[in-house]
Amino acid sequence: MNLRILLTWSYVLCLTFSGQILAATESKPPNLLIIQTDEHNFRTLGCYRQQLSYEQAHVWGPGVRVDTPHIDSIARDGAICTSFYAASPVCTPSRASLVSGLYPQATGSPSNDLPLNDDIVTFAEILRRRGYATAYVGKWHLDGNAKPGWSPERKFGFEDNRYMFNRGHWKLFEQTEDGARVLGKYDEKTEKYKYSIEKATDKSFATDFLMDRTLEIIQREKDKPFCLMLALPDPHGPNTVRAPYDTMYQNLRFDQPGTMAATLAKPDQRPKWNLPSGNNVVSKINQDQMAKYFGMVKCIDDNVGKLLEYLKSSGLDKNTIVVFTSDHGDMMCEHCRLNKGLPYETSAKIPFVIRYPDKIKPGKVIRTAFTTTDFAPTVLSLMGVDSDLPDFHGRNGSADFLSDGKEVQDDRIVYFRNAGNRWVAAVNHRYKLVLSTADKPWLFDLGRDPDELINFYADPAYAEIAARFKTRLVELMKQFDEPALTKAQLQYE
């Protein structure tokens, strides 16, 4: 064989081998990485403020904001959902619906601290059966009363759950020979750990510690398809954060949001399902607590930046679906309330941004309404998993994410519920109807009244909208065996 023939065959073999590598790379199933925060107000994210008017984006005063460039980059390079709701805006039921694709009442976890039913098949279990390396890091809140409850025996498809803890909003962790543990002294009387936040470092603070464990797992599993969920316990209270984030926003002056001022001026005009009760009712702004909340968000964003940089430097970014979301919102003094549990936007609406290079067009805005029940069927479809699936309650919305259009919007009406069966709500991209046994129906027009102060239910101009939403809400409650159906129908009729 002469030199020319030898070189020709070498060239052909090289091309064939290169093509096989390229084909193998292109056919490798995508990785899935989910970052879920706890009790996160969507207005603290720049990508969500960009979708709002200036007044709505800065409800605590002109220019009062925390910048989140890394989380924003996920939306910029992928898609943002502007009407994504918790199936029930408290921790346990929302998390149950996200992992299962079912409404909370079908999971065994319709309210906080109730354990997930043994027979629940999660998206992680579906992926594990298909050869994925699966892992969970952070707060779980689906294994009953265990606290902290490290590494629950029931894994629900998350094979590596060494750094999964059941419940609690711990601020400091440490690694020991026996695994992770809360750093601090446990007080049996109060059932709380006492710790000094001043001693927190970028290795022991919860957000940093859990992110470092996440990076270790990804590095270990990077040569095979992996599914990892990182559930950060912040920015849920207590509102404490390590230096330098603890003082980063102390110079800001937080004003009363307009809904707080309106509620204080006319308290009798609020919905009766928002009557004062508990310690989450406020009448003035706590400047330090607001600044610390912003600090927690900034710490989260910086850690997300560290994660995204690792994906890029390791060559994993192109074939990894990255999701950033939360379990529910935080009222942050709107309507004189803190925390969650109400049908208002800042309680029930959650951030949801997703990046999937070469599949989801950059800068896509999805205004169609979704709930956490839609997550499992949608993300599995995005990953090409479409067989041997359980019967989800949620809708497969992958077509909305994969479409060519930069904006997607339809009139889909979804429903979400109160964990205590006191109210139910139906919502689309603009209107929201709340039925309860405590009050007359409330219909909000989120376009005309984004503050949710006006009840349009009795307005003749809204008669058709009110009737349509009532009919659809009852249909959905019947379809998904809503426990509050009978009570809600009394209001409906």
Side-chain angles (χ1 to χ4, degrees):
M1 183 179 294
N2 62 35
L3 180 61
R4 178 175 295 180
I5 295 174
L6 181 63
L7 289 173
T8 300
W9 274 106
S10 297
Y11 179 68
V12 170
L13 289 172
C14 182
L15 285 178
T16 303
F17 184 64
S18 298
Q20 289 174 344
I21 293 177
L22 180 60
T25 302
E26 290 179 343
S27 62
K28 180 184 176 183
N31 307 309
L32 175 62
L33 178 57
I34 304 158
I35 309 156
Q36 182 187 54
T37 55
D38 192 340
E39 201 162 280
H40 201 151
N41 184 295
F42 64 85
R43 282 193 179 89
T44 63
L45 302 179
C47 52
Y48 276 88
R49 290 195 300 274
Q50 292 172 7
Q51 300 296 321
L52 303 171
S53 68
Y54 186 87
E55 292 74 20
Q56 286 295 309
H58 299 87
V59 295
W60 303 289
V64 177
R65 69 179 191 274
V66 51
D67 293 324
T68 53
H70 304 298
I71 298 168
D72 297 345
S73 74
I74 302 173
R76 181 194 66 221
D77 299 336
I80 182 171
C81 293
T82 62
S83 299
F84 205 106
Y85 293 87
S88 182
V90 288
C91 295
T92 295
S94 177
R95 292 163 185 265
S97 64
L98 184 88
V99 299
S100 69
L102 305 175
Y103 272 96
Q105 61 268 24
T107 66
S109 302
S111 59
N112 272 350
D113 305 336
L114 295 178
L116 207 60
N117 288 338
D118 289 338
D119 60 354
I120 293 297
V121 178
T122 70
F123 65 83
E125 173 61 20
I126 293 167
L127 294 175
R128 187 195 66 79
R129 293 173 183 175
R130 285 164 171 77
Y132 274 73
T134 59
Y136 193 104
V137 177
K139 179 184 169 184
W140 176 237
H141 213 163
L142 292 171
D143 201 47
N145 288 317
K147 189 177 181 180
W150 288 102
S151 188
E153 182 178 344
R154 301 183 309 154
K155 296 183 177 183
F156 289 99
F158 294 102
E159 277 300 289
D160 185 349
N161 73 340
R162 292 169 299 151
Y163 303 110
M164 173 193 282
F165 62 91
N166 184 49
R167 56 189 282 253
H169 297 95
W170 321 107
K171 293 296 179 176
L172 300 181
F173 296 122
E174 67 175 348
Q175 187 75 293
T176 72
E177 293 182 356
D178 297 324
R181 75 177 184 94
V182 176
L183 184 61
K185 185 177 181 181
Y186 187 68
D187 186 329
E188 293 185 358
K189 291 183 178 180
T190 63
E191 295 185 342
K192 293 182 179 179
Y193 279 87
K194 295 182 178 180
Y195 55 85
S196 174
I197 197 68
E198 288 76 19
K199 295 182 179 180
T201 69
D202 61 358
K203 299 300 180 184
S204 63
F205 187 67
T207 296
D208 305 288
F209 178 90
L210 296 172
M211 183 60 76
D212 286 346
R213 305 293 80 75
T214 294
L215 292 171
E216 290 169 1
I217 294 171
I218 294 176
Q219 186 172 28
R220 184 190 73 205
E221 306 291 2
K222 64 182 180 180
D223 294 329
K224 63 183 74 169
F226 65 81
C227 161
L228 186 147
M229 184 165 177
L230 167 62
L232 298 171
D234 279 355
H236 192 293
N239 289 11
T240 53
V241 64
R242 71 169 174 87
Y245 302 101
D246 57 340
T247 60
M248 199 172 284
Y249 299 96
Q250 292 292 339
N251 63 313
L252 294 180
R253 168 69 187 182
F254 294 86
D255 296 334
Q256 285 186 351
T259 58
M260 185 179 193
T263 301
L264 290 172
K266 298 179 179 179
D268 59 329
Q269 293 189 16
R270 79 181 88 183
K272 289 185 174 60
W273 37 258
N274 185 22
L275 291 178
S277 64
N279 58 8
N280 63 348
V281 180
V282 292
S283 58
K284 62 180 180 180
I285 298 286
N286 185 316
Q287 298 292 324
D288 179 67
Q289 290 289 292
M290 295 289 283
K292 296 284 178 55
Y293 188 100
F294 272 32
M296 289 190 287
V297 172
K298 187 63 174 176
C299 183
I300 290 169
D301 187 70
D302 285 348
N303 273 274
V304 170
K306 183 164 62 174
L307 177 58
L308 295 178
E309 178 56 35
Y310 175 78
L311 293 177
K312 183 177 181 181
S313 65
S314 60
L316 294 169
D317 56 324
K318 295 297 184 183
N319 198 40
T320 299
I321 299 172
V322 178
V323 174
F324 182 92
T325 188
S326 189
D327 56 356
H328 51 76
D330 189 323
M331 297 292 292
M332 291 186 73
C333 300
E334 291 199 56
H335 299 273
C336 292
R337 298 299 289 263
L338 298 175
N339 309 137
K340 67 281 188 178
L342 295 171
Y344 290 123
E345 290 289 275
T346 43
S347 165
K349 189 166 85 171
I350 58 176
F352 188 95
V353 294
I354 181 172
R355 185 184 77 181
Y356 189 5
D358 300 327
K359 298 289 186 178
I360 298 176
K361 291 189 177 299
K364 179 182 282 284
V365 179
I366 298 178
R367 305 194 188 280
T368 300
F370 287 97
T371 74
T372 43
T373 60
D374 300 311
F375 175 73
T378 297
V379 79
L380 289 171
S381 179
L382 286 173
M383 301 173 78
V385 178
D386 55 8
S387 61
D388 299 322
L389 298 177
D391 292 328
F392 294 119
H393 289 170
R395 185 181 84 171
N396 173 8
S398 60
D400 287 351
F401 292 89
L402 298 175
S403 67
D404 291 332
K406 277 295 188 75
E407 287 205 16
V408 177
Q409 176 178 298
D410 66 26
D411 289 329
R412 183 194 185 201
I413 298 172
V414 297
Y415 110 95
F416 59 93
R417 66 185 307 274
N418 171 254
N421 302 332
R422 292 186 295 271
W423 54 258
V424 289
V427 66
N428 71 356
H429 63 88
R430 175 163 178 173
Y431 303 104
K432 182 191 298 177
L433 176 68
V434 181
L435 299 183
S436 77
T437 55
D439 202 355
K440 59 183 177 296
W442 276 72
L443 177 66
F444 296 109
D445 183 339
L446 303 174
R448 286 181 57 185
D449 175 37
D451 286 330
E452 297 178 282
L453 292 170
I454 303 171
N455 186 1
F456 292 93
Y457 183 79
D459 188 330
Y462 286 81
E464 184 277 328
I465 295 169
R468 177 160 54 92
F469 271 68
K470 286 192 298 184
T471 299
R472 183 57 180 154
L473 178 52
V474 171
E475 288 175 351
L476 290 169
M477 288 193 291
K478 289 179 179 178
Q479 180 179 351
F480 299 120
D481 296 324
E482 168 56 45
L485 177 62
T486 303
K487 294 179 180 179
Q489 273 187 303
L490 294 177
Q491 194 66 61
Y492 168 66
E493 294 169 352

